[in-house]
Amino acid sequence: MNLIKLFILMVPFYLFLTGCYDKTELEYQAYVVALGVDKGEGDNTFKFTYQIANPETGTAIGGGSSNEPASEIITVEGNDFLTATTTANASVSKKMTLDHTKVLVVSEEVARSDNFLGLMQTASRTTQIRRQVQIIVSKENARDFIKDNKPQLETRPHKYYQLMLERSTETGIVPESDIHRFFQLTEGDADLFLAMYTTATVEKTKNNGTEDEYKAGEIPKKGGNPAEFMGSAVFKEGKMIDVLDGQNTRLALIMDNTLEIDDLLSTYQDPVKEDYKIAGDFSKKSPTKVKIDYRKDVKTTIDVTVPFSFEVLAIPSLVPYSQDEKLREKLKASIEKSLEKKANKLIEKAQKEYGSDPFYWSLYIRNEFASIPDYEKADWNKKIWPNAEVNVDFQMSRLEFGKMVNDSQLNEVRD
Amino acid sequence: MKPDKTLKTREMFAIVALFIGVKLSDTTATLYSQKVQNGFWLSVVVSLIIALPSFFILLHLLKLFKDKNLVELLEILLGKFIGKVVGFTIFLTSFGLLVLDSRNYVEEVKLLYFPESPTTSLYFIFIIVCILTAKRGLESIGSTSWIVLPFIKISMFLLAFLILKEIVWLRIFPIFGNGLDVVLTEGINKASIFSEFILLTIAYTSFRDTKFFRRGSYIGSSVVSLELVFFFLLYALVFDYNSIEKVAYPYHEVTQYVNLGNFFTNVETFFMVFWLSAAFLRFIIYLYLVAMVFGAVFNIKEHESLLLPLGLLTVSSGLLVENTVINELVYREKLLMYSTPLYVLLPYLLWIIKRLRRDLK
Amino acid sequence: MLRFLKNNLKNSSKEDNEKYPSIAKNLDKNVKQLNKMFSSDKNSDFASREFVAQYSNNKINIFYYSTIVNGDKLYTGIIQPLLENVGETLKNVVTLEAIEELSTYEDVIEHINSGYVIIFEDTLDKAFAIDVAQFQHRGIEKSQNESVIKGPKEAFTEALGVNVSLLRKRFHDKQLINESLKVGERSKLEVNLLYVEDLVNNDVLKDVKKRINDIKSDNVRNVEMLEQFLEERPYSIVPSILYTERPDKAATYIEDGYIVILMDNSSACLIVPINFWAFFQSPEDRYLRFLYGNFTRLIRFIAFFITVFISAIYIGVTNYHSEMIPPDLLLAITAARERVPFPLVFEVLLMEIAFELIREAGIRIPNPLGPTIGIVGALILGQAAVDANIISPIVVIIVALSGLTSFAVSDVSMNYSVRLSKYIFITASAWFGMFSLTGAFIVWISYLSSLKSFGVPFFSPVTPTYKSPGNNLFRKALKNEIWRPGNIKPKDIKKKQTE
């Protein structure tokens, strides 16, 4: 009996000796904030760029030297995210952890290649890369983007990415594109995945666009950070096929019920004085209604109704819309029409060019099928969507004019 | 009223809620989703429809024979020898499941949170905690369960609440996943996942009054069933039909995905703590019940002294299995499939024998 | 072997008792015997006086300790009447209240020790004992360790009679029994059990009495020591008897059917049986209005959890689960730790022990030096250690928080068990992070739930469930307290008559 007791007493001691396997002190770890992927030298290798946050920047305690840069950027060639960190350790003194990675920057070159899906599969196997990491497609090399991206207000890169992504997805000029959604859409084998599109090198600017008719790199601006988030990269079956500009991205987001868009300020043509534009706040209070009428071997009709309300923010033409019932009707009709026109154009492009939809509408046809094999046989991408008849109807339920009843008449003022 | 039997309805409820309820967060979901894909929550409903009535019949039988536990009931109805043999079979299958299941949990902890630690150490700690706690007796287990239960449930529903904004309801379609036939066969085959209900009845006489056991079982099993179906449905809605079969640990995958606002983005460890307490308690209860069955079959009064050898045996046999995938998809699935008829049909069989015997009289 | 020795000892002490002869009729013999027993030639405050009683013309000798009797009372109540009054018997002559007749020397010794005057009269083979005791003690003062803002301020004092009076003042019931027992082999001290006869559970009462009678120690000086003789698990990490210096708290428990144990020489009482929740309750919770009282309860439980877990969680999270910390905080902690030479566990332990040192020094330090401890503690250990890069500032915050919150657990014993538990959890989480911490927590909880205080489960009435006033983690509105705590099985469970 005593021997057994002794043995039992020994077990904890044995275990004490075995502890501490996964123990790592905080300062022995390097926190990767952004991950970049570029095409490597070999056929199936990639160049991985790690942006490592420097903890001593921007903290009051410790009083470290403030001249150190906010982050260290290192690029190594490798096969996948994790093994490449070991290579990177050749020059980084700490253990690299990807737990706090906020973004995965993929160069357009890699995104358009066939290897991209395979690379993403490796990401899903490890627990370190979270499902909420956002995929960003950069026009240039991911390394260049990360290197050139020098925000002025946020010295610490993780804060910059957090705030930047939050704000730009709120306005809808880029879609929310986390890894989780990438897998759902890609593995679902229907619909298109939209990823944020970005660049830090401005090549040529486009001067005649309105506030959102740009793709990243086209925005005429001066000063500030060279990095721009605008538009979206379109992925079909795990491979990038096209780029949508900000406006089309916004439209796609409006019509997709699974994504949110909070802050949609934009301008529309003034229906009375056509040289002017009217600015307003578009808001979608209830979800888009998608009704799919599917019958086997007959052309599918898809009826889409987008209910929205509109708050006028600026009428530079000074047309008294708020006073006149008829003018109001006219404005309403014109906004609805312009939205429908744009939407139809996008849908047409999606049907003809992409052969799939960026709105996640395949969801609405699923209830027609009892089982997955039936559903897969019906084939949304190849059979249903390209041949479907899509009717889009934007319905303005409310038109508001802000807190001013009327604009002051410029002519009278100048008298 | 016996002074040392203090357990009442709420402790029984807590025991059921933890013992069975933790299934929503382990690989059970994966087991179902392999073939049924997004319709797997319906398979669970099928399994429950099959498993629960037999549990209720058993409860009914136990009510007729007052103050008898499972093994004693078997012995009365089937005769001493056959009763013991059946009891021993129950012990063997449950012990087998205990071994495979515990290995599974430990592997899960290792994979997700302690990738560099050896399984042996984690497994030893796990079982030692289970033995130490189980040794304190069923009263203490019941009380501990009741105290820890609110925290676990709150964390689970917090998770459900957080994930609600990430789900897409339309992913519920196609409603039958891979087809109605698959839903039904999978549901029937895996009904023994809920065999643990039967195992619980070994503790039938350990409550202040047997009515508390019954009441706790009814409330517990209905709440747990709802919870399971609800969470499995959530998994189906979060991961679409193609991803759900690839995800090994849906609960943990979900905890990794959600965030509490912008500030707390990686909150999986928070949920892990509560999940782990639930897992500990599940195996504490499991180990205790298995020891009780063994004690009842071999007439060992001090079944608490069996905990240590049984626990150590669990570790040593659990470590024999090579890796989790084999453990999960081969051994556990087979064992579950083979033991289904035993657990599902046994109560009916007992009931029929009971009827026949009464008619003979 | 040990048992044999013990038996031997027992036997010898018995023989000791039997050595005393019985009281003789001859006064001189008795006087000689008594003087020998009390070593009157050395014992300076042992007094005796001889005179002739007026009523019987017999020689009389009185014995007492001059330091523990009231001299005036002795003179006017005993000596003067004996010298002057006329009457039939001694009892008629002496005007003081109770006169006991003693027939053995053991009783005589005991009574002299308790401040009685013993009267021997020639021709009688018995002695008379009259209570003229006047032990010195403090007056009633404010409660020092369990202070309240709203509520009575009186505290127990080191005199048994005063304490009983404080309790009787609060609970007017003819069924309130003050039962007296003796404890100690050599120095026999009085232990008083106070309970309500028609509420108290007889099994518990019997158990308590048995345990008191079973104490074979020579001397049990006060309730603090009695507590350790009474408890079932002397090595346990948690207490199983409640200790309080507040008569109002004791009175509440008496009302509910608990037993209160009082002794001379202690400005506190013991309450049995007890449960886990009682250690976190202050009488003020019930004096405050419903919401306010529950708010303090909530704060206290949060404090309890912070004390026990914050250091352990900090170690576990930073060493094993750094992904959990929000990036801003993570970088801040990392930056602070870059120049700290110790591992994080060591850093936390260093600071925890430093805090324990401050606390211990704070209790032991002579009063005039009190303020210095604050300066030394705060400045040297906080500021300077951070400036010297020995510890990181966040650890100071963590440890200060856990130290501060530990004061919210006001019960002295529970306070220690909470602090000791803290170290268990720190060790656990340093070992396998949250995994072993959770395991330790489960073991800890199950240990607590398996404990019993005089047969009452520690977590009752919450689990196992009983009818109760609902005064556990939170409390109900007073008018909703219908039941007495069912976990102690009182004779009458209904507290409020509802018709």
Side-chain angles (χ1 to χ4, degrees):
Chain A
M1 194 61 207
N2 273 336
L3 255 174
I4 297 173
K5 270 187 183 164
L6 192 72
F7 172 72
I8 297 165
L9 276 175
M10 293 302 282
V11 171
F13 286 104
Y14 152 71
L15 288 171
F16 263 110
L17 294 174
T18 65
C20 313
Y21 278 100
D22 284 277
K23 184 177 190 166
T24 340
E25 299 287 346
L26 290 179
E27 68 275 18
Y28 294 176
Q29 296 180 35
Y31 303 102
V32 176
V33 176
L35 247 176
V37 186
D38 291 310
K39 204 171 159 12
E41 303 293 331
D43 277 345
N44 288 317
T45 57
F46 302 94
K47 276 181 180 152
F48 294 98
T49 305
Y50 301 94
Q51 183 175 21
I52 301 162
N54 178 4
E56 285 183 30
T57 323
T59 50
I61 38 176
S65 58
S66 53
N67 298 330
E68 288 181 20
S71 61
E72 183 180 335
I73 298 166
I74 175 167
T75 305
V76 288
E77 177 121 3
N79 182 53
D80 62 289
F81 298 105
L82 282 183
T83 47
T85 58
T86 6
T87 321
N89 267 129
S91 72
V92 176
S93 53
K94 298 170 174 183
K95 183 186 170 193
M96 313 237 296
T97 48
L98 304 180
D99 287 315
H100 290 277
T101 307
K102 287 259 182 283
V103 293
L104 174 62
V105 184
V106 183
S107 72
E108 201 172 326
E109 193 186 1
V110 173
R112 284 184 188 272
S113 75
D114 292 328
N115 297 336
F116 181 62
L117 191 58
L119 177 74
M120 292 307 292
Q121 292 286 1
T122 64
S124 70
R125 203 166 281 277
T126 153
T127 55
Q128 286 203 19
I129 297 176
R130 312 274 146 165
R131 281 178 170 261
Q132 74 253 32
V133 170
Q134 303 282 338
I135 300 174
I136 297 178
V137 176
S138 74
K139 202 169 164 187
E140 68 273 32
N141 273 346
R143 178 182 163 78
D144 297 336
F145 171 76
I146 292 173
K147 207 178 69 203
D148 295 341
N149 183 3
K150 288 215 171 59
Q152 319 268 306
L153 292 178
E154 286 84 26
T155 38
R156 296 199 282 171
H158 72 271
K159 203 83 196 168
Y160 164 77
Y161 285 118
Q162 185 193 324
L163 298 175
M164 186 70 214
L165 297 182
E166 205 176 301
R167 183 58 199 157
S168 55
T169 49
E170 256 173 31
T171 57
I173 52 172
V174 293
E176 205 173 305
S177 55
D178 56 22
I179 294 185
H180 180 70
R181 190 176 161 86
F182 174 80
F183 279 118
Q184 303 327 307
L185 291 179
T186 309
E187 287 173 349
D189 205 19
D191 313 293
L192 299 169
F193 170 71
L194 299 183
M196 302 182 189
Y197 192 64
T198 184
T199 186
T201 40
V202 180
E203 283 160 1
K204 59 168 200 274
T205 57
K206 189 173 153 190
N207 286 326
N208 53 354
T210 55
E211 68 290 326
D212 54 7
E213 283 175 41
Y214 303 108
K215 292 170 189 168
E218 294 177 348
I219 306 163
K221 69 160 193 229
K222 277 183 184 138
N225 182 9
E228 292 168 4
F229 286 77
M230 185 59 121
S232 54
V234 183
F235 282 79
K236 189 186 177 187
E237 285 154 10
K239 198 174 153 186
M240 180 174 164
I241 52 171
D242 197 18
V243 181
L244 288 179
D245 66 7
Q247 193 169 52
N248 279 325
T249 306
R250 276 179 161 185
L251 272 173
L253 296 183
I254 289 170
M255 288 192 277
D256 186 343
N257 279 330
T258 56
L259 288 175
E260 276 172 39
I261 170 165
D262 299 330
D263 209 353
L264 223 172
L265 305 183
S266 55
T267 57
Y268 301 88
Q269 196 167 47
D270 194 317
V272 181
K273 294 187 179 173
E274 300 205 338
D275 300 341
Y276 288 96
K277 288 197 165 171
I278 285 178
D281 183 1
F282 174 102
S283 61
K284 203 176 94 177
K285 289 290 177 250
S286 55
T288 308
K289 286 187 207 77
V290 183
K291 228 186 105 206
I292 297 187
D293 184 16
Y294 170 78
R295 256 170 267 129
K296 223 174 176 184
D297 305 322
V298 182
K299 198 170 185 184
T300 312
T301 47
I302 303 176
D303 295 309
V304 182
T305 319
V306 186
F308 69 100
S309 61
F310 192 78
E311 190 184 339
V312 176
L313 297 175
I315 314 172
S317 64
L318 301 179
V319 176
Y321 287 110
S322 60
Q323 313 286 314
D324 194 326
E325 173 79 37
K326 264 190 195 152
L327 284 174
R328 273 210 302 275
E329 284 303 318
K330 202 170 174 185
L331 175 66
K332 194 175 155 188
S334 126
I335 292 173
E336 283 176 358
K337 219 179 123 197
S338 96
L339 282 167
E340 276 160 22
K341 210 175 112 196
K342 284 174 194 165
N344 278 325
K345 223 170 118 191
L346 177 65
I347 290 167
E348 203 187 312
K349 195 177 178 189
Q351 279 182 318
K352 298 247 165 72
E353 203 178 305
Y354 300 156
S356 187
D357 70 303
F359 316 110
Y360 210 172
W361 281 347
S362 72
L363 286 174
Y364 300 92
I365 202 166
R366 286 189 177 195
N367 55 2
E368 306 276 342
F369 306 100
S371 72
I372 295 169
D374 290 349
Y375 166 69
E376 283 180 344
K377 229 171 87 192
D379 207 337
W380 168 264
N381 266 5
K382 289 215 175 68
K383 291 184 192 149
I384 304 172
W385 171 254
N387 304 317
E389 186 189 326
V390 187
N391 307 312
V392 181
D393 184 14
F394 278 80
Q395 281 183 353
M396 189 191 290
S397 54
R398 275 208 335 261
L399 180 63
E400 283 167 37
F401 288 91
K403 57 178 183 156
M404 296 287 281
V405 179
N406 197 5
D407 286 299
S408 45
Q409 286 301 317
L410 218 59
N411 301 343
E412 287 168 25
V413 174
R414 285 187 183 148
D415 263 357
Chain B
M1 198 168 85
K2 288 165 195 159
D4 56 328
K5 291 183 179 174
T6 50
L7 296 182
K8 287 176 88 171
T9 314
R10 59 165 74 167
E11 283 84 9
M12 183 60 199
F13 169 71
I15 286 178
V16 177
L18 287 171
F19 190 38
I20 317 282
V22 191
K23 286 187 173 299
L24 66 86
S25 59
D26 62 9
T27 46
T28 310
T30 329
L31 218 56
Y32 277 108
S33 67
Q34 290 306 308
K35 289 195 181 126
V36 205
Q37 296 188 323
N38 68 339
F40 77 109
W41 60 280
L42 283 170
S43 296
V44 182
V45 177
V46 173
S47 291
L48 283 167
I49 288 174
I50 290 169
L52 281 181
S54 60
F55 175 53
F56 292 153
I57 283 178
L58 195 59
L59 282 182
H60 172 73
L61 283 173
L62 286 164
K63 192 180 166 187
L64 291 179
F65 296 85
K66 293 178 188 90
D67 288 332
K68 294 279 178 294
N69 64 28
L70 178 64
V71 175
E72 287 163 345
L73 183 79
L74 287 174
E75 283 176 20
I76 289 173
L77 286 176
L78 297 173
K80 197 127 187 131
F81 181 71
I82 305 177
K84 285 222 184 287
V85 170
V86 174
F88 189 63
T89 321
I90 290 178
F91 163 75
L92 277 184
T93 47
S94 349
F95 184 68
L97 282 172
L98 167 69
V99 168
L100 294 178
D101 227 16
S102 58
R103 170 69 195 270
N104 224 328
Y105 271 71
V106 170
E107 209 65 49
E108 205 169 332
V109 171
K110 173 184 152 61
L111 214 80
L112 295 166
Y113 299 99
F114 297 91
E116 282 161 36
S117 311
T119 312
T120 323
S121 310
L122 291 169
Y123 209 164
F124 256 106
I125 296 175
F126 193 84
I127 287 296
I128 282 173
V129 167
C130 290
I131 295 171
L132 281 178
T133 315
K135 251 202 136 76
R136 307 240 137 238
L138 196 64
E139 272 74 35
S140 161
I141 294 174
S143 294
T144 313
S145 306
W146 175 252
I147 287 168
V148 182
L149 184 72
F151 298 101
I152 292 169
K153 289 295 158 208
I154 287 170
S155 83
M156 280 184 177
F157 283 99
L158 176 68
L159 182 70
F161 174 74
L162 288 175
I163 203 70
L164 271 181
K165 63 174 196 275
E166 310 290 347
I167 64 173
V168 178
W169 284 101
L170 286 163
R171 284 184 184 151
I172 199 174
F173 298 112
I175 190 106
F176 291 125
N178 253 342
L180 185 58
D181 48 334
V182 189
V183 169
L184 290 177
T185 46
E186 281 293 289
I188 293 166
N189 276 343
K190 300 201 166 112
S192 63
I193 284 188
F194 301 98
S195 65
E196 283 138 11
F197 278 123
I198 310 286
L199 191 59
L200 274 173
T201 54
I202 188 70
Y204 187 69
T205 49
S206 310
F207 283 70
R208 204 191 293 180
D209 191 320
T210 50
K211 79 165 185 252
F212 294 125
F213 182 90
R214 288 196 302 276
R215 206 184 288 157
S217 309
Y218 291 134
I219 301 172
S221 56
S222 38
V223 169
V224 159
S225 308
L226 285 177
E227 253 177 21
L228 276 173
V229 175
F230 174 64
F231 266 87
F232 283 15
L233 180 60
L234 279 186
Y235 299 148
L237 298 179
V238 171
F239 307 98
D240 207 356
Y241 66 89
N242 266 323
S243 304
I244 187 75
E245 55 169 354
K246 298 196 181 97
V247 174
Y249 308 111
Y251 183 81
H252 299 276
E253 204 75 26
V254 166
T255 59
Q256 288 209 341
Y257 183 52
V258 297
N259 38 0
L260 276 168
N262 282 329
F263 195 61
F264 294 103
T265 48
N266 303 333
V267 285
E268 73 268 16
T269 310
F270 171 78
F271 291 108
M272 180 270 256
V273 169
F274 297 104
W275 170 77
L276 205 56
S277 348
F280 273 126
L281 278 166
R282 174 181 150 75
F283 286 100
I284 288 158
I285 298 165
Y286 215 144
L287 190 64
Y288 194 84
L289 292 177
V290 167
M292 258 181 126
V293 173
F294 191 85
V297 170
F298 293 101
N299 295 331
I300 300 168
K301 282 260 156 54
E302 296 276 317
H303 57 259
E304 272 157 36
S305 58
L306 292 170
L307 291 169
L308 184 67
L310 279 179
L312 294 178
L313 195 62
T314 307
V315 183
S316 33
S317 31
L319 286 170
L320 289 178
V321 189
E322 265 172 80
N323 67 47
T324 352
V325 180
I326 291 180
N327 181 2
E328 175 66 35
L329 297 181
V330 183
Y331 295 123
R332 185 157 174 243
E333 188 160 4
K334 282 228 174 87
L335 193 52
L336 283 175
M337 228 160 92
Y338 292 139
S339 57
T340 298
L342 170 70
Y343 284 109
V344 175
L345 297 180
L346 183 69
Y348 290 101
L349 188 73
L350 292 176
W351 188 60
I352 291 166
I353 291 172
K354 161 85 177 88
R355 291 299 292 268
L356 287 176
R357 284 211 170 170
R358 194 179 58 183
D359 292 346
L360 283 176
K361 274 172 198 168
Chain C
M1 180 70 191
L2 265 174
R3 201 164 289 165
F4 174 74
L5 268 178
K6 259 185 202 162
N7 279 343
N8 256 10
L9 280 173
K10 256 182 210 164
N11 290 340
S12 67
S13 69
K14 248 178 207 163
E15 278 160 20
D16 253 8
N17 288 342
E18 282 157 10
K19 258 191 332 206
Y20 297 129
S22 50
I23 296 173
K25 284 195 172 176
N26 186 326
L27 182 64
D28 289 341
K29 231 177 186 174
N30 287 336
V31 171
K32 217 181 218 168
Q33 177 70 31
L34 220 56
N35 278 335
K36 189 181 140 209
M37 281 191 299
F38 282 90
S39 321
S40 61
D41 48 339
K42 295 182 205 155
N43 218 345
S44 62
D45 63 345
F46 182 72
S48 69
R49 228 185 113 175
E50 199 180 88
F51 50 88
V52 176
Q54 173 76 18
Y55 80 100
S56 62
N57 267 332
N58 277 337
K59 260 206 292 187
I60 272 184
N61 214 328
I62 61 174
F63 296 91
Y64 56 91
Y65 272 120
S66 59
T67 43
I68 57 174
V69 299
N70 184 336
D72 287 347
K73 212 169 163 186
L74 175 67
Y75 179 71
T76 54
I78 298 171
I79 298 178
Q80 203 175 23
L82 282 174
L83 285 175
E84 294 166 6
N85 291 7
V86 184
E88 291 282 298
T89 60
L90 188 122
K91 282 188 184 172
N92 295 349
V93 174
V94 175
T95 51
L96 283 174
E97 54 264 45
I99 300 175
E100 286 171 47
E101 286 183 22
L102 310 175
S103 50
T104 62
Y105 275 114
E106 284 93 76
D107 286 345
V108 169
I109 296 166
E110 204 182 304
H111 280 81
I112 291 181
N113 282 333
S114 310
Y116 282 68
V117 165
I118 303 291
I119 305 171
F120 282 101
E121 188 173 352
D122 203 16
T123 72
L124 290 179
D125 59 351
K126 60 188 174 190
F128 300 93
I130 301 161
D131 187 5
V132 287
Q134 191 188 35
F135 287 103
Q136 298 303 317
H137 61 81
R138 281 190 304 159
I140 297 169
E141 284 174 15
K142 256 191 174 185
S143 169
Q144 293 273 323
N145 303 326
E146 296 169 66
S147 49
V148 297
I149 297 171
K150 186 179 178 186
K153 309 283 189 290
E154 280 172 340
F156 283 128
T157 188
E158 282 85 348
L160 185 58
V162 178
N163 291 351
V164 174
S165 123
L166 283 175
L167 281 175
R168 284 215 186 264
K169 181 171 97 178
R170 281 173 173 78
F171 191 61
H172 296 207
D173 184 355
K174 63 177 189 306
Q175 295 283 356
L176 175 58
I177 308 290
N178 176 18
E179 195 178 342
S180 169
L181 298 171
K182 296 277 179 209
V183 70
E185 292 287 297
R186 181 177 279 273
S187 148
K188 283 201 190 314
L189 284 179
E190 206 173 313
V191 175
N192 278 13
L193 301 182
L194 276 92
Y195 53 89
V196 180
E197 176 73 25
D198 55 358
L199 290 182
V200 73
N201 180 300
N202 281 342
D203 294 336
V204 178
L205 186 63
K206 220 183 277 168
D207 188 20
V208 174
K209 282 188 201 162
K210 187 175 169 289
R211 288 193 205 185
I212 291 177
N213 288 331
D214 283 350
I215 297 173
K216 292 289 173 230
S217 179
D218 257 6
N219 187 7
V220 179
R221 216 165 40 242
N222 45 31
V223 292
E224 288 82 2
M225 296 175 79
L226 183 70
E227 180 183 356
Q228 295 175 55
F229 283 111
L230 285 185
E231 63 185 357
E232 282 155 82
R233 295 180 170 78
Y235 302 109
S236 170
I237 194 167
V238 280
S240 60
I241 293 173
L242 185 64
Y243 174 90
T244 179
E245 58 173 25
R246 297 189 59 90
D248 53 334
K249 191 168 176 178
T252 349
Y253 281 99
I254 291 180
E255 276 172 55
D256 281 345
Y258 291 84
I259 302 165
V260 166
I261 304 172
L262 281 170
M263 263 182 95
D264 248 324
N265 308 325
S266 270
S267 61
C269 70
L270 302 180
I271 298 168
V272 290
I274 209 65
N275 60 17
F276 177 75
W277 315 103
F279 289 102
F280 297 91
Q281 296 169 355
S282 152
E284 192 169 10
D285 304 343
R286 295 177 86 236
Y287 300 149
L288 289 171
R289 293 184 54 241
F290 173 75
L291 269 182
Y292 315 157
N294 280 329
F295 177 68
T296 44
R297 286 268 176 95
L298 180 68
I299 295 295
R300 218 172 288 145
F301 264 87
I302 292 173
F304 166 67
F305 272 97
I306 291 178
T307 310
V308 177
F309 291 114
I310 194 164
S311 309
I313 289 177
Y314 178 69
I315 291 175
V317 165
T318 46
N319 271 343
Y320 290 90
H321 312 281
S322 62
E323 76 278 355
M324 199 195 174
I325 313 169
D328 287 306
L329 186 60
L330 176 76
L331 294 179
I333 301 175
T334 312
R337 273 199 53 78
E338 297 255 285
R339 264 171 241 88
V340 175
F342 306 120
L344 196 130
V345 183
F346 187 74
E347 201 185 346
V348 171
L349 278 178
L350 194 76
M351 210 47 206
E352 285 282 2
I353 287 166
F355 194 89
E356 296 292 341
L357 286 175
I358 297 180
R359 182 198 287 250
E360 184 61 20
I363 299 172
R364 310 290 159 221
I365 205 161
N367 267 344
L369 293 175
T372 35
I373 200 80
I375 299 164
V376 171
L379 267 183
I380 298 187
L381 286 171
Q383 190 77 41
V386 170
D387 285 346
N389 280 332
I390 289 176
I391 46 167
S392 54
I394 188 124
V395 169
V396 180
I397 299 173
I398 297 284
V399 172
L401 201 60
S402 96
L404 187 70
T405 49
S406 75
F407 289 105
V409 182
S410 64
D411 184 84
V412 187
S413 309
M414 203 33 137
N415 191 293
Y416 275 100
S417 57
V418 162
R419 277 155 61 198
L420 287 176
S421 306
K422 176 168 76 183
Y423 290 100
I424 297 180
F425 291 125
I426 287 179
T427 323
S429 79
W431 180 27
F432 259 110
M434 295 311 237
F435 177 68
S436 48
L437 179 58
T438 314
F441 176 68
I442 294 285
V443 172
W444 188 70
I445 285 277
S446 79
Y447 173 70
L448 289 190
S449 65
S450 72
L451 287 184
K452 286 193 166 100
S453 158
F454 293 84
V456 174
F458 209 47
F459 279 126
S460 63
V462 173
T463 171
T465 331
Y466 291 95
K467 272 181 185 158
S468 75
N471 183 20
N472 306 313
L473 181 53
F474 293 110
R475 72 170 180 87
K476 289 183 188 170
L478 283 190
K479 64 175 179 184
N480 291 337
E481 289 187 358
I482 296 170
W483 310 105
R484 290 203 167 78
N487 51 338
I488 60 164
K489 304 198 180 77
K491 283 177 196 145
D492 177 11
I493 183 107
K494 211 156 186 187
K495 189 171 187 175
K496 183 183 157 192
Q497 301 311 315
T498 44
E499 243 98 29

